[in-house]
Amino acid sequence: MTAPFVLPSVDDLHDAALAARLQHVIDYKTKPLGSLGALERLALRLGVIQGTETPALHAPQMLVCAGDHGLAARGVSAFPSDVTWQMVENFLVGGAAVSVLARQHGLGLTVVDCGVAKPIAARDAAPGQPQLLLRKVALGTQDASVGPAMTAAQCGEALAHGAEVVRGLPGNALLLGEMGIGNTSVASLLLARLAGLPLAEVTGAGTGLDAAGIGRKRAVLQQALDANADATSPLDALAALGGFEVATLVGAVLQAAAERRVIVVDGFITSAAVLVASRLQPHVLQRCVFAHRSGERGHSLMLAQMQAEPLLDLGLRLGEGSGAALAWPLLQSACVVLGEMASFESAGVATQTA
């Protein structure tokens, strides 16, 4: 049985001396000053997260959390809820985008049933294949447009599951992914509530709604905000408006941050989980690398809330962790540039003149 959730302590990583040493190492590689652009800033961030001038990444883990939403019955998505369990099965047999990309980049893939509306059968994973963890809180959340999506106890259970799952994973890097028909609505609701932004600015097409569908979606989401008007603190908002998979991700992010893992954030929904986690423990953001800017309306505003600089901007809006997987080689490159690229002194190359 999973222990009750206790908010982990997430310390401030600020170390001016280490940051200065890292910047000196980066500046004196055999290149014009700043010429590797964002890769240099990424190398600096990885060094600070790991507390070393020679950061290294090992046994990276892709965590895909899945759950269903009562809101989906209100037509907030272009796809039916059955797609959630069908995609979980697709992840496990290796046919989804995140499955393919995880194989390509050597990422361990763990899929967690946090609250899928259909029972999913337990199974053993072959070595090197995706593993399934059953941490189902309930068969989907309640309809947030008429009241809280979760009870406080259910939210706490999902948070505890996320922390427990991370404690059991190897490696020093966690890549975030999700699956749940209707969960772009959850991300929009959490952003609107926690940042005080209008729904019209943070609500988009999700899986492919047309203009009329987006209008209907906004109306339903406004009902959800109105029905849960008193849920203003981060945890209250998460319970009232969120999903089991989002709450599980919040717990996972907090645990990974406490363990000083590198956290690679995917798109709109995983960013919503990080937003909630950062409102609970602000220093979470020091451990995060934001993979990309999603094509989903509202993601740029969410990134701005966290002062995040995404690595990629490819118009992605698939989710699953696909953007995090695509960005992963950049983290590897940042580490090898920092660790293996020659300095002007070691290579006997003259530095630029003033």
Side-chain angles (χ1 to χ4, degrees):
M1 187 177 203
T2 302
F5 181 71
V6 177
L7 186 66
S9 176
V10 181
D11 298 332
D12 187 357
L13 295 185
H14 178 69
D15 183 338
L18 172 62
R21 292 196 304 273
L22 279 161
Q23 192 62 59
H24 179 84
V25 171
I26 292 165
D27 288 346
Y28 282 85
K29 296 295 185 182
T30 47
K31 60 177 180 56
L33 195 65
S35 59
L36 284 176
L39 195 70
E40 298 186 17
R41 297 188 291 276
L42 178 57
L44 178 65
R45 174 165 288 251
L46 295 176
V48 169
I49 292 171
Q50 296 191 354
T52 177
E53 295 166 49
T54 55
L57 301 164
H58 63 88
Q61 301 297 311
M62 172 68 74
L63 179 65
V64 179
C65 293
D68 276 306
H69 303 267
L71 267 178
R74 299 291 310 278
V76 296
S77 173
F79 286 83
S81 289
D82 269 355
V83 170
T84 303
W85 73 261
Q86 291 165 357
M87 284 303 301
V88 167
E89 296 291 345
N90 196 21
F91 296 151
L92 295 172
V93 299
V98 72
S99 311
V100 171
L101 293 169
R103 282 200 304 272
Q104 180 190 10
H105 298 303
L107 307 172
L109 176 57
T110 297
V111 182
V112 186
D113 174 5
C114 310
V116 178
K118 177 176 177 174
I120 294 178
R123 69 208 68 183
D124 295 326
Q129 297 301 307
Q131 69 166 333
L132 171 67
L133 298 179
L134 300 178
R135 300 293 185 274
K136 195 190 295 285
V137 178
L139 295 171
T141 59
Q142 297 300 305
D143 181 356
S145 70
V146 297
M150 297 177 263
T151 66
Q154 286 177 325
C155 186
E157 185 179 351
L159 289 163
H161 285 164
E164 174 256 328
V165 167
V166 168
R167 285 194 292 269
L169 292 176
N172 63 358
L174 184 72
L175 294 82
L176 307 180
E178 45 62 41
M179 180 63 215
I181 294 302
N183 63 11
T184 58
S185 292
V186 168
S188 294
L189 287 168
L190 289 170
L191 178 57
R193 177 55 50 84
L194 295 179
L197 296 173
L199 272 176
E201 294 183 15
V202 302
T203 307
T207 50
L209 291 172
D210 59 15
I214 294 172
R216 291 192 300 271
K217 179 178 177 180
R218 287 175 182 162
V220 172
L221 298 195
Q222 187 60 58
Q223 292 173 17
L225 291 178
D226 294 342
N228 297 281
D230 295 335
T232 56
S233 73
L235 284 181
D236 286 349
L238 178 63
L241 305 170
F244 293 131
E245 82 277 33
V246 176
T248 303
L249 282 167
V250 173
V253 167
L254 289 164
Q255 183 64 35
E259 295 179 12
R260 207 161 174 165
R261 299 192 193 213
V262 176
I263 301 167
V264 187
V265 188
D266 185 40
F268 191 40
I269 294 97
T270 60
S271 294
V274 173
L275 178 66
V276 174
S278 69
R279 295 297 175 90
L280 297 169
Q281 291 285 20
H283 296 314
V284 159
L285 295 177
Q286 295 175 330
R287 281 82 164 165
C288 290
V289 173
F290 289 82
H292 71 111
R293 187 186 312 279
S294 169
E296 175 65 20
R297 184 179 180 88
H299 193 216
S300 290
L301 294 170
M302 188 176 283
L303 292 170
Q305 284 289 315
M306 296 181 282
Q307 298 181 317
E309 178 187 16
L311 296 175
L312 304 172
D313 193 347
L314 301 176
L316 304 173
R317 53 182 181 86
L318 173 60
E320 301 180 3
S322 53
L326 287 167
W328 177 251
L330 293 175
L331 280 74
Q332 295 176 304
S333 294
C335 287
V336 297
V337 162
L338 195 55
E340 300 179 20
M341 188 175 173
S343 67
F344 284 107
E345 182 180 9
S346 67
V349 175
T351 60
Q352 67 187 72
T353 58

